[in-house]
């Protein structure tokens, strides 16, 4: 059986703030393996598919606008329970309450915008990981 894989994104705020290396360091230090990595400027259709579950929510349009505002680093990472493990490294969605020690808790904050800019995305289930990896690496 091959090890589990997940999709990690360093969002445009993380890339713009020069935090890509720090975020990759945390993923690698935890012991996960980087299988593939690419710098992507995402178009609207990719982002709408990626975030389809949030269509209709008040932050959906701001989210798509934010995610298309600059380059994203997309990472295919591998390891036993990496999906759950990276979500734990990332911390809670809201960076104000994300625990210190997590990526969002240590490096993120609320900027008073319509969408939270919280540095990273991580797939939330094996079904999401499979779907999202196909979208970003094909
Ligand atoms: P996560 O990225 O932790 O899986 P999510 O899938 O619920 O969170 O939402 C996707 C992104 O949308 C999230 O990273 C930040 C933004 N977001 C979510 N809920 C929000 C809210 N209530 N207000 C503003 N932005 C929000
Ligand atoms: Mg999510």
């Amino acid at each position: 059986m091959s090890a589990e894989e997940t999709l990690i994104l360093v969002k445009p705020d993380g890339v713009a703030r020069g935090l890509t290396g720090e975020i990759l360091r945390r993923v690698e230090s935890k012991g996960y393996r980087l299988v593939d990595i690419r710098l992507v400027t995402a178009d609207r259709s990719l982002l709408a598919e990626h975030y389809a579950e949030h269509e209709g929510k008040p932050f959906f349009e701001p989210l798509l606008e934010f995610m298309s505002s600059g380059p994203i680093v997309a990472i295919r990472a591998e390891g036993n329970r990496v999906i759950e493990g990276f979500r734990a490294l990332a911390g809670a969605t809201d960076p104000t309450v994300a625990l210190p020690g997590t990526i969002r808790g240590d490096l993120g904050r609320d900027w008073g915008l319509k969408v939270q800019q919280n540095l990273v995305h991580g797939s939330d289930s094996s079904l999401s990981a499979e779907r999202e990896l196909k979208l970003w690496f094909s």
Side-chain angles (χ1 to χ4, degrees):
M1 202 185 95
S2 61
E4 186 173 283
E5 291 186 338
T6 196
L7 174 75
I8 297 170
L9 301 177
V10 180
K11 296 181 178 182
D13 58 332
V15 176
R17 289 178 56 202
L19 294 171
T20 304
E22 169 64 18
I23 290 163
L24 290 175
R25 187 192 65 73
R26 290 175 182 230
V27 173
E28 288 193 296
S29 301
K30 179 76 175 172
Y32 299 129
R33 193 169 78 85
L34 308 183
V35 178
D36 202 352
I37 184 164
R38 55 186 298 232
L39 191 70
V40 191
T41 301
D43 60 27
R44 201 194 143 84
S45 67
L46 169 62
L47 294 169
E49 270 206 67
H50 176 78
Y51 280 126
E53 65 174 307
H54 296 305
E55 207 184 325
K57 295 182 187 171
F59 60 85
F60 183 72
E61 284 301 328
L63 178 60
L64 263 49
E65 199 167 307
F66 161 55
M67 290 293 288
S68 58
S69 67
I72 290 171
V73 175
I75 301 135
R76 179 191 292 272
E78 180 199 78
N80 293 312
R81 300 177 69 191
V82 67
I83 295 170
E84 180 187 2
F86 179 75
R87 296 277 297 186
L89 286 184
T93 304
D94 177 352
T96 299
V97 302
L99 292 178
T102 65
I103 292 166
R104 290 164 169 173
D106 286 348
L107 309 173
R109 54 162 284 193
D110 194 313
W111 300 95
L113 304 170
K114 287 183 185 147
V115 66
Q116 291 293 352
Q117 299 196 350
N118 55 13
L119 301 163
V120 289
H121 166 83
S123 308
D124 63 8
S125 67
S126 53
L127 264 179
S128 303
E130 196 183 333
R131 188 180 74 83
E132 293 171 2
L133 283 166
K134 270 195 202 121
L135 282 176
W136 291 85
F137 290 94
S138 55

